[in-house]
Amino acid sequence: MRNRWLALVWGVIVLLAAQPAFAHQQAGVAGGFVSGFSHPLFGPDHLVAMVAVGLWGAQLGRPGIWVLPITFPLVMAVGGLLGVTGVPLPAVEIVIALSAIVLGLVVALRVRAPFWIAAILAGIFAIFHGYAHGQELPAAANPVAYGVGFVLATGLLHLLGIAIGTLIAWPMGERLVRACGLVIAIVGSYFLYATFGPVA
């Protein structure tokens, strides 16, 4: 048990040590599919929110376990298109940080929201995550390949969250999943704080 908590604390430290802007640098990464695929994976602000969607879907059960992971990438693709075309969207980084806080808290508190409310909430956040991905489209990248890459990576992160979320079948797993939600909310709080100024 002690080792598990040490691993959890270490994970938080690693995540907090990363800057949210890291997701948007992608220096040295080839354009197209690889760049799009790696964007959510190397952006902890995106990564934790994607995993939280899967965790929440698993907690909600059917049809939430598949409605949320399908809704999020589809709507996110629309957000990506807005980002690629340069349509103005305010407070993108703030909403992305808020998405981790909100999604983390609903997992930590195991909020049993109606599926349509959960889908709308996930869809709203997906617009901003997709927009950030689209905005960071490398100049040399193929927009379609880039979009397919970040949508696929997002789907895989949802599946990871669902896989972890299946642990709720056991009492200890239930506590672990809710603890993951709390960690995600803490990480989101850090990113929200970081958007208002440099963090040492």
Side-chain angles (χ1 to χ4, degrees):
M1 174 62 77
R2 184 181 177 185
N3 290 336
R4 291 179 183 175
W5 282 110
L6 286 175
L8 188 61
V9 171
W10 177 246
V12 173
I13 292 173
V14 170
L15 285 171
L16 294 183
Q19 295 290 328
F22 179 68
H24 312 302
Q25 294 173 355
Q26 298 295 314
V29 178
F33 179 83
V34 174
S35 185
F37 188 83
S38 63
H39 202 253
L41 301 179
F42 289 100
D45 48 347
H46 298 297
L47 188 150
V48 294
M50 306 299 106
V51 173
V53 169
L55 291 173
W56 197 24
Q59 285 181 327
L60 291 174
R62 295 180 181 177
I65 197 169
W66 56 265
V67 167
L68 296 189
I70 290 176
T71 299
F72 200 100
L74 290 178
V75 179
M76 193 181 67
V78 176
L81 183 60
L82 296 177
V84 169
T85 55
V87 175
L89 189 65
V92 173
E93 295 296 338
I94 292 175
V95 176
I96 288 174
L98 286 174
S99 71
I101 296 172
V102 173
L103 292 170
L105 286 177
V106 297
V107 171
L109 300 174
R110 195 165 186 178
V111 175
R112 304 288 298 178
F115 295 119
W116 64 272
I117 291 180
I120 290 175
L121 184 63
I124 291 172
F125 289 144
I127 287 286
F128 287 84
H129 281 271
Y131 187 88
H133 293 320
Q135 255 193 331
E136 299 300 324
L137 172 70
N142 180 300
V144 175
Y146 182 84
V148 171
F150 73 69
V151 168
L152 179 60
T154 296
L156 292 176
L157 290 173
H158 292 335
L159 289 177
L160 173 63
I162 291 172
I164 298 172
T166 58
L167 295 175
I168 62 174
W170 295 274
M172 180 60 73
E174 165 72 16
R175 288 192 286 272
L176 178 62
V177 169
R178 296 181 71 167
C180 287
L182 180 60
V183 170
I184 289 171
I186 292 172
V187 172
S189 299
Y190 169 82
F191 289 142
L192 182 61
Y193 174 73
T195 59
F196 292 103
V199 177

